[in-house]
Amino acid sequence: YTVSQELFQARFMKHMVNFNEKMEKLSIRDAYVEIIYEVLNDLSELKNMGGSPEMAVRKIAGDWLKALSCVIPHTAEHFWKLYGFEGLVSNSKIGHYELNSEEKGLIEQWEYCKGIMADIRSIEKVTHIDGKEVEIVLADHIIREDTEKIIKNNFNVKRKEIIQAVKKMQNKITMGIDERKALERYAGVIEKLMNMQIDYREYREGDKKLPLPGRPVINLKGERNGNN
C-alpha cells in the first residue's frame, strides 16, 4: 500500500467530512461537487503519482457509493452488489467521519510538497533551466527557533540576518509542517512527477541563501534551454 494510496485515502476521508457538513447546511450542489469531481480529480492525480485507481476505489467503494446513491441510485446499487456488499445501498446510512492526526499530516505534507513543485516550475520558467536535479535546503532548528521568536516580536535571536527575512516573508512562513518528514515521505513521488532527482538537507553555515520555515531554498541544477 503506497504513500500515494494512503494520501488518496486521507483526502477521500476529508471529502466525506466536507460532504456531510455541506449536506447538513443544504449546500447540496457543493456537496456533490466535493464528492464527485474532487474525488475524480484525486483519482487522476493518484494515477499520475503511480498509484492504482482500481485499488483505491475498492478501498473507498462502500462509503463513496452511499454518498452517490441519492444522485445515481441504480448505478450505485449495481456497483454495491458488484463489490460484494450486502443488502441495498439505499438502506445504508452514511457514517460520521473525522480526520485523524495521521491523515491530516499526509494531506498537509503533500500540500507543502505541491508548493515546492510549483516553485521548481517557476524557477525553471524564469531561469530557462531544464531541471535534472534539485537540492532543497531546509531551515534548521536554530532558524525555526529564531523565526518563532521574531513572529512574537522577540528579536533576541542567534542569527540577526534572519530578522528582515522573517518580516518580509512572514505571511508565507509555515511553522507547523515537519518539512523533513514531508520530503522523506513524498520525495519519490516528486521525482516521478517532475522527472528529476530530489535531494534535501538542512541549512549549513556558509550557505548563500537562508531558508525559512515552510520556505526552503531551492537550488536547481540542469542545462539552460535554447529559448532565452
Side-chain angles (χ1 to χ4, degrees), residues 87-99:
L88 298 173
V89 65
S90 55
N91 292 334
S92 303
K93 292 183 179 180
I94 295 177
H96 174 73
Y97 302 91
E98 289 184 8
L99 286 173

Side-chain angles (χ1 to χ4, degrees), residues 38-84:
E38 294 296 336
V39 174
L40 290 175
N41 286 338
D42 288 351
L43 281 169
S44 178
E45 185 171 76
L46 171 67
K47 186 176 181 179
N48 292 335
M49 294 165 75
S52 168
E54 293 79 11
M55 184 185 295
V57 169
R58 186 169 293 277
K59 292 283 289 186
I60 66 165
D63 292 320
W64 202 19
L65 289 169
K66 288 176 188 178
L68 295 174
S69 63
C70 290
V71 289
I72 49 169
H74 300 297
T75 303
E77 293 294 355
H78 170 75
F79 281 100
W80 185 260
K81 292 180 181 178
L82 190 67
Y83 280 107

Side-chain angles (χ1 to χ4, degrees), residues 144-160:
R144 298 187 71 85
E145 290 172 2
D146 283 352
T147 300
E148 195 165 2
K149 287 181 180 179
I150 295 165
I151 289 173
K152 295 177 181 179
N153 292 319
N154 177 357
F155 301 107
N156 183 23
V157 295
K158 295 178 181 178
R159 292 194 177 108
K160 297 298 182 182

Side-chain angles (χ1 to χ4, degrees), residues 184-198:
E184 287 174 354
R185 176 171 272 160
Y186 291 116
V189 175
I190 298 172
E191 287 180 335
K192 179 176 179 60
L193 292 175
M194 304 208 70
N195 193 29
M196 63 178 65
Q197 181 180 330
I198 303 295

Side-chain angles (χ1 to χ4, degrees), residues 10-44:
R11 291 167 87 174
F12 177 77
M13 188 62 63
K14 184 177 181 180
H15 292 315
M16 288 301 297
V17 171
N18 293 342
F19 174 79
N20 279 348
E21 289 177 354
K22 289 171 181 177
M23 289 297 283
E24 287 176 4
K25 296 175 182 177
L26 299 180
S27 300
I28 296 172
R29 181 183 179 279
D30 290 341
Y32 279 99
V33 166
E34 179 89 31
I35 208 60
I36 297 174
Y37 295 105
E38 294 296 336
V39 174
L40 290 175
N41 286 338
D42 288 351
L43 281 169
S44 178

Side-chain angles (χ1 to χ4, degrees), residues 102-119:
E102 178 67 16
E103 290 165 335
K104 289 177 182 177
L106 278 162
I107 295 169
E108 289 172 355
Q109 288 166 12
W110 177 240
E111 290 303 314
Y112 166 80
C113 289
K114 284 173 70 175
I116 286 179
M117 288 191 291
D119 288 344

